[in-house]
Structure formats: structure tokens, C-alpha cells
Amino acid sequence: MYETYKGEVIQRVKMDLDGSKDTPIQEFYNDATILVTGGTGFLGKVLIEKIMRTCPKFSRMYLIIRPKKGKDSLQRLKEIFDDQLFTKVDPSALQKISIISGDCSKPMLGLCSEDQDLLQKQVSVVFHVAATVRFDEPLPIAVAINIAATRDLMTLAKGMRKLKAFIHTSTAYSNCHLKKIEETFYNSPIPYSKLITLTECLDHAQLEQLTPILLRDVPNTYVFTKAVAEDLVLKHSKGIPVAVVRPSIIIATEKEPIPGWVDNLYGPSGVVVASTTGIMRTVNVDGNVIADVVPVDMVSNAIIASAWHLDTMKNKDSTEPPPIFNCVSSVQNPITWYTFFSLCYKYWPHTIFAIWYPFLSINSSRTRHRLLSFIWHYLPALVIDSIAQLVGKQPNLVKVSNKVEKICSLLSYFSTRQWDFRDDNLQSMWQSLSSEDQELFWFNIKSLDWEKYFYNYMRGARQYLLKDDLSSIPAAKTRVQRLYWLHCFVIMCLLFLFLNTMWYWFGGLLVSYTQDMRYHLTSSPTDTYADKINNAF
């Protein structure tokens, strides 16, 4: 078994607290003024924490945060820094954080002219991480956040006098209609200006009808708008030191600052939690396909290193397109989806919130998955909701069942297909790092121990997603054991009911057939009608 990390995270390199020389990447961020969009998201939080903890000599960090659900930007920032993720950060670094109220869904990111002037005078590094990652986001919203905001931020960046690096975070699946994806720009499915104009001129109903036509062989609005945004970055890159980082499926931290930390149920993490609590029992996944997942702290480290690397390339030919870094695991350290879920169940520590004995059926056939989903998800939910209504309680499980099926359908495109990625640029950047920076900003996926990783990942999912402390593991094991025997009892009852039903429908036919055969075998052409009756009985 692997020991969980306790107290301070064991760092591979000591910080510059004893007067030792900073590493090249740390020197790059010394006195830098940094702008981060998407700082309230999963990746954004880890990125901010890493910079604050390992590059504490930065001058200032501006975070564009929008008010949400009745909370202003300051309240949302306080919630971020109250998270356990930031417990290792030096409190003095918090004094260097400034909020700028904005909204990436609005023109010029909702920034007032004074804030725009301030950023253009001071900012030297931009991390554009903001995006709507909902696969089923309506096209106008996806375009506004993923494309128009990128255009407006790059326009703002053209006036940043001290700018050294602009890092645009995309996705490895932005060109998922291709089988081979290299670290290069591809043709956009539609010019970004035309798409923005369409969403501004057409009403919601018209856009809803137009969306499937625009998407064609692209699975959702997220990857579609990310592909268009990459083309926008290329066309606006003149005069801006810009690079694109394309992570694949981002999951929990590998090591920093807390092993296994995760704060959202998007993607595989949601499937893992739903299946291990007994809510989800079937997934539409091809077990032999590679699961291209990457820990979020490795992606954060690659993003931080890419800004430094871009600055070292400032003398390169200006006619070359911006560099792209595919941050994927399938090239250097691949695992299949079967291995992914096997390791999840191997190291899942059980939870007191389990509602049924956990098991998961992996089905590459969508038809079989839908049939099992109807039997294992919808029918039990319908029965339990009906009982709930009879006793005067609010029915809820059918709604949950439908949501689970929706998650499965959105993920199935990526879990039943395989892509041939290339990561030469990422590996070249890794090799260019000093040994000290390789330790401090580690993103070498090849050396990742998946067994150790999943041990921490499952405990992190239990602690940070289900809010179930590890101290309750003994009670959880007892609960799951009881659920196992209940599961076996229900299976036996259903089997008995099935056999009884089969006998009811087919047993009578068998008896009738036997009697009919007996009648034919015992009767002869010379028998009288009375003899035939007697022979039949």
C-alpha cells in the first residue's frame, strides 16, 4: 500500500529561502505582473497556487473574476483562498493578488476602460485559461466565452508594452475529427469572424437549428469553438509572443500541492464517483481504447514552463506560427480505459454515501449500454420514486438517472475512439529545462506511476468531492458489505421471479405439447372417439 502524504508536501527542490540562486523559470517570474483568466476553475486554481508557492517574487497577479450567484468578485476570491488547496501558500503572497471585475461572456471581457489601461501598462505574462467546458453549451454562449473573449484579450494584449508571453489554453481534442493530431494549427471549420457575426445576428431558435449543420462531424460546441479559437490565435499572433497549450482530459493532482485533489465532477471523475457510490452501473466505453488523462498539476507546470520557454524563443523567425504543446499521456505513458476503471475500483476506499453495492459494466456497444441503462438505472429509479410518492416524499432518482445517462452520452465520443497524438514540442521543452526546474515544475508524464497515482486519486475523490473523511473508512466498509448481501438477495429474488415467469409462460405450453404427443403416440386409426379420449388422459 502507498502512504498518503501528511503535513507539508515533500518538495523535490527547496525554495529560495536560504539565499540559494533561483532557477531559470523562477527568475523569469521575478518582478513579473501576471494576468489570469479562468482563475476560479479547476486548472486555474492549481495554476495560481503553483505560481504563488514556487515563484513568490512575482510583482502582482491580476485575476479577472465575475460576480456569480449573488456573490461579488471579492467574495468569490475569498472562497478560492479558503480552499485547502492554498494552505501551503505563504500568506504574504496573498497581498500581491488583485481582483478585476469582469465577465468573459461580455465584450472586452466586461472590463472598464480604466482597467484596460492598467493591464496594458503593467502586465508582462498572460494566462488565458477561461473557457466554458460544458459540452452541451448553447452555441452563442460558447462562442462568446471561448472565441470572442479570446479575440478581445488578444486585442488588449497588443497594447501591453511589457508583454513577454501570452499562453492560450486549448484542448487536445480541438481537432478531434482527425485521427492524427500533431502540434500544429489546422484549418478552422469556419472563420471566427463569420461565426461571431452569426451568433450576434440570429435568434436562439435559428441558432439551435443551425448548430448541427455547423458542427457536422464535431461532437459538441466545446471542441468546435476551441478549434475556431485556435485559428483566431494564429491570425492575431503577429506582434504577440503567444503559445498554445493543449491538455487532454484533466483529472486530479498527482502530487502538488495535495495528492489527489479534485474539485469538480466533470469527465471521468464524475463517472468514478457515480459508479463507486452505486448510482451508475454501466458506461459506454471501449475498454481497449487509450484513456488520455493527465493530472492537473502536470498541466499547470507545463503552462508555467511554456511562458518561460516562449521567452527564450523570442529571437526565432517571426514568420513561424506560434508553438503548440500537446499535453497528453497517450504518447509517453498510455493506459486503457479498462485499466483506468480497474485501478479506480482497486483503490477506491468505499464511502458511507454509497446507496448500492458498486459495480460497473463497460460496454463498447451503445445499444447494449442503453439496454442495461434502462434496466439498471431507469427501472430501479422509477420503482423507488413511485414508492417515495406513495409515502409522501419527493421523487428524485429518475431525474438523477437521466442526468447520469446524459453524462455517459456526452463522454462516449471520447471513450470509444482513439487518436494518434504527437508531443515532440512538449518533450523538447521538457529537455530544455534545467535539472532544478525539472524537479520544481515536473510534467514528465513518462515517469508517472499510475498505481501510486490512482491510490491518491481515489482517496482525493472521496475526500474532496464527496466530503467524506478518511476516518470513516471502517464504517464505509461495513456499509458496503451489507449492501453486497442486499445486492445478492435482490439478484436471487429477480432470478426467481424471472424463472417463475418463464415457467408460467412456457411451462403450460410444454405440458400441453407433452400431452398432445402422448395422444398421438397412443392413438391408432382404428380407435373409436371414446378410445381417443381415454388415451389422451
Side-chain angles (χ1 to χ4, degrees):
M1 300 294 286
Y2 297 105
E3 307 259 56
T4 54
Y5 290 87
K6 295 179 181 180
E8 291 290 331
V9 177
I10 300 173
Q11 295 190 358
R12 301 179 179 87
V13 173
K14 291 185 177 180
M15 296 284 300
D16 182 30
L17 300 177
D18 56 357
S20 59
K21 186 179 178 182
D22 289 332
T23 69
I25 291 181
Q26 286 177 320
E27 286 182 356
F28 171 75
Y29 286 99
N30 288 349
D31 299 319
T33 299
I34 304 165
L35 171 64
V36 180
T37 68
T40 58
F42 181 40
L43 174 58
K45 290 176 186 175
V46 176
L47 177 68
I48 292 168
E49 190 278 340
K50 178 70 174 186
I51 294 173
M52 293 175 70
R53 180 165 48 86
T54 58
C55 303
K57 295 181 182 179
F58 69 91
S59 175
R60 183 150 297 279
M61 183 184 294
Y62 291 104
L63 307 179
I64 297 178
I65 300 178
R66 67 185 174 98
K68 185 179 180 182
K69 296 180 179 177
K71 298 175 183 177
D72 62 25
S73 302
L74 187 60
Q75 287 175 301
R76 294 190 69 199
L77 180 68
K78 185 178 183 303
E79 287 180 356
I80 292 172
F81 290 127
D82 284 343
D83 195 289
Q84 189 175 348
L85 182 74
F86 288 87
T87 54
K88 309 297 188 297
V89 171
D90 188 332
S92 63
L94 298 176
Q95 306 303 317
K96 300 181 181 182
I97 305 299
S98 296
I99 304 172
I100 293 185
S101 183
D103 188 340
C104 287
S105 65
K106 296 180 179 178
M108 288 307 296
L109 297 89
L111 302 175
C112 64
S113 57
E114 291 81 4
D115 287 337
Q116 291 180 39
D117 291 340
L118 174 70
L119 295 175
Q120 288 185 323
K121 288 176 183 176
Q122 295 189 13
V123 170
S124 56
V125 180
V126 176
F127 292 115
H128 184 35
V129 186
T132 172
V133 296
R134 285 183 54 187
F135 287 175
D136 58 345
E137 191 76 84
L139 189 61
I141 299 175
V143 168
I145 297 174
N146 294 349
I147 300 175
T150 303
R151 176 200 61 188
D152 294 342
L153 188 58
M154 292 196 76
T155 301
L156 192 66
K158 285 182 184 291
M160 292 178 179
R161 303 155 201 173
K162 301 177 181 179
L163 187 64
K164 293 181 179 180
F166 183 112
I167 307 302
H168 173 72
T169 307
S170 185
T171 171
Y173 299 101
S174 57
N175 297 282
C176 60
H177 60 289
L178 304 172
K179 287 298 180 185
K180 184 176 181 179
I181 301 176
E182 300 185 82
E183 292 167 306
T184 186
F185 288 93
Y186 293 95
N187 292 332
S188 174
I190 183 175
Y192 74 88
S193 55
K194 184 180 290 187
L195 183 59
I196 292 174
T197 302
L198 281 173
T199 55
E200 290 174 346
C201 295
L202 301 181
D203 60 33
H204 179 76
Q206 290 172 319
L207 284 170
E208 198 170 357
Q209 290 181 337
L210 186 61
T211 298
I213 300 171
L214 291 172
L215 296 187
R216 288 179 292 184
D217 52 353
V218 176
N220 53 63
T221 57
Y222 171 65
V223 296
F224 175 74
T225 51
K226 279 297 189 180
V228 177
E230 283 190 10
D231 184 62
L232 183 154
V233 169
L234 176 63
K235 288 183 168 56
H236 280 251
S237 62
K238 188 174 182 180
I240 302 177
V242 61
V244 177
V245 177
R246 290 178 180 160
S248 53
I249 302 170
I250 303 177
I251 51 177
T253 57
E254 189 272 338
K255 189 176 294 294
E256 296 182 89
I258 305 168
W261 183 83
V262 59
D263 75 340
N264 68 78
L265 290 167
Y266 295 133
S269 296
V271 174
V272 169
V273 169
S275 64
T276 50
T277 52
I279 296 172
M280 181 184 289
R281 302 173 189 89
T282 173
V283 287
N284 183 205
V285 168
D286 186 339
N288 296 316
V289 164
I290 291 174
D292 211 315
V293 291
V294 286
V296 63
D297 50 336
M298 298 182 77
V299 177
S300 169
N301 287 338
I303 290 173
I304 292 169
S306 67
W308 163 83
H309 188 66
L310 186 64
D311 188 56
T312 65
M313 301 167 61
K314 56 190 173 187
N315 294 323
K316 76 179 183 71
D317 186 355
S318 60
T319 61
E320 291 182 16
I324 295 177
F325 304 98
N326 284 344
C327 193
V328 297
S329 63
S330 57
V331 182
Q332 305 295 330
N333 197 356
I335 59 168
T336 64
W337 281 110
Y338 179 79
T339 303
F340 177 93
F341 286 112
S342 296
L343 290 173
C344 286
Y345 272 78
K346 179 179 179 180
Y347 292 116
W348 180 251
H350 296 307
T351 173
I352 58 174
F353 298 120
I355 63 171
W356 198 255
Y357 180 72
F359 67 93
L360 188 66
S361 175
I362 297 175
N363 302 287
S364 58
S365 166
R366 187 159 183 78
T367 303
R368 187 169 186 269
H369 162 71
R370 283 182 171 176
L371 176 62
L372 291 177
S373 181
F374 178 77
I375 296 170
W376 288 344
H377 294 164
Y378 183 74
L379 287 182
L382 185 64
V383 170
I384 294 172
D385 275 4
S386 299
I387 294 172
Q389 281 186 312
L390 289 175
V391 298
K393 292 188 177 180
Q394 184 69 27
N396 189 46
L397 276 182
V398 168
K399 192 176 181 179
V400 172
S401 172
N402 292 335
K403 189 173 288 188
V404 164
E405 182 55 32
K406 185 177 180 180
I407 292 171
C408 285
S409 63
L410 291 173
L411 292 175
S412 64
Y413 182 91
F414 303 96
S415 58
T416 56
R417 291 169 174 80
Q418 190 164 302
W419 288 266
D420 179 14
F421 290 105
R422 291 289 182 268
D423 68 347
D424 297 334
N425 289 349
L426 187 78
Q427 295 307 313
S428 176
M429 178 169 69
W430 170 253
Q431 294 302 325
S432 71
L433 266 61
S434 66
S435 58
E436 294 82 9
D437 276 330
Q438 285 186 348
E439 293 292 330
L440 194 59
F441 301 97
W442 180 69
F443 58 88
N444 183 21
I445 195 79
K446 190 174 184 177
S447 60
L448 177 65
D449 182 346
W450 285 116
E451 291 271 348
K452 184 177 180 180
Y453 173 78
F454 275 91
Y455 177 84
N456 291 318
Y457 179 19
M458 292 301 97
R459 275 154 178 71
R462 187 186 195 272
Q463 282 183 278
Y464 305 115
L465 294 180
L466 293 177
K467 310 299 181 186
D468 191 1
D469 192 81
L470 295 177
S471 61
S472 66
I473 287 180
K477 287 182 177 178
T478 302
R479 177 178 177 82
V480 171
Q481 187 64 36
R482 290 171 181 168
L483 289 173
Y484 170 73
W485 290 115
L486 178 61
H487 173 75
C488 292
F489 175 74
V490 170
I491 292 296
M492 294 301 294
C493 289
L494 291 174
L495 182 61
F496 176 77
L497 182 64
F498 174 76
L499 293 176
N500 241 6
T501 304
M502 292 298 99
W503 177 253
Y504 176 81
W505 286 105
F506 298 109
L509 292 175
L510 182 62
V511 170
S512 176
Y513 175 76
T514 304
Q515 290 177 344
D516 189 52
M517 288 298 295
R518 183 180 168 191
Y519 162 74
H520 284 293
L521 289 171
T522 55
S523 56
S524 67
T526 58
D527 285 344
T528 63
Y529 179 76
D531 291 333
K532 291 179 179 180
I533 295 296
N534 288 331
N535 289 335
F537 296 95

